[in-house]
Amino acid sequence: MNLLSRSAAMALAGLGLWSAPALAQDVANGEMQFGRQCVSCHVVQDPDGRVLAGRNARTGPNLYGLEGRVIGSVEGFRYGDAMEELNARGVQWSEERFLGYVQDPTAWLRAALDDRRARGKMAYRVRDPQNAADIYAYLGTLTSQAAASK
């Protein structure tokens, strides 16, 4: 599969319009990849203000409680027009959407909105599908651990 068709396939998978093979998830690798790829822009901070991962970065939104959250809904974060459009439509984050988005944000947004001019603010791409799945699994453990500790 060439790069263009792979990006399109991942974007469509993120929309639930195409099925990508399920990937086994490695939380330890997800933690390591978050530290390498995400930490400079994102933080995972629970509602009580405890930083669970990251260094309190504010370039990207807080990733706490991502699963099921309406896209573009972190209070106080300035999203781009494409993310705000998804927010207005009530589109929620799911594993498939997260994987499609983080692997090629622009292609995913364009497919999601059916708008070839759609762009987001996130320029970084997680190039390895396994690493993207592992990061998603890791983020889920942070949310569930924080909720369980209350």
Side-chain angles (χ1 to χ4, degrees):
M1 189 179 294
N2 69 35
L3 183 58
L4 180 58
S5 62
R6 180 179 175 168
S7 294
M10 291 310 297
L12 292 173
L15 291 171
L17 301 175
W18 181 78
S19 293
L23 299 172
Q25 296 172 330
D26 178 344
V27 172
N29 183 53
E31 180 177 13
M32 182 176 70
Q33 294 303 323
F34 183 87
R36 287 182 177 170
Q37 301 189 60
C38 311
V39 73
S40 62
C41 296
H42 294 279
V43 67
V44 181
Q45 185 175 20
D46 74 8
D48 295 331
R50 291 182 299 157
V51 174
L52 307 173
R55 295 184 294 250
N56 223 6
R58 298 280 185 233
T59 304
N62 180 4
L63 299 179
Y64 181 83
L66 189 68
E67 174 72 27
R69 182 171 77 199
V70 174
I71 292 174
S73 64
V74 172
E75 204 60 42
F77 187 79
R78 281 192 58 196
Y79 291 95
D81 294 342
M83 295 298 262
E84 287 184 8
E85 176 64 28
L86 291 171
N87 177 277
R89 295 180 186 186
V91 178
Q92 297 178 339
W93 283 115
S94 65
E95 181 175 9
E96 294 77 22
R97 289 180 177 132
F98 177 86
L99 296 179
Y101 179 74
V102 301
Q103 290 179 77
D104 191 339
T106 299
W108 187 84
L109 287 168
R110 288 176 178 175
L113 294 169
D114 192 25
D115 178 354
R116 63 185 177 91
R117 293 178 295 169
R119 297 191 63 75
K121 291 183 175 183
M122 186 166 130
Y124 188 81
R125 293 169 54 178
V126 177
R127 300 203 183 273
D128 183 312
Q130 184 64 58
N131 287 342
D134 294 347
I135 292 167
Y136 185 83
Y138 171 64
L139 292 173
T141 65
L142 293 174
T143 300
S144 61
Q145 287 172 1
S149 69
K150 291 187 178 194

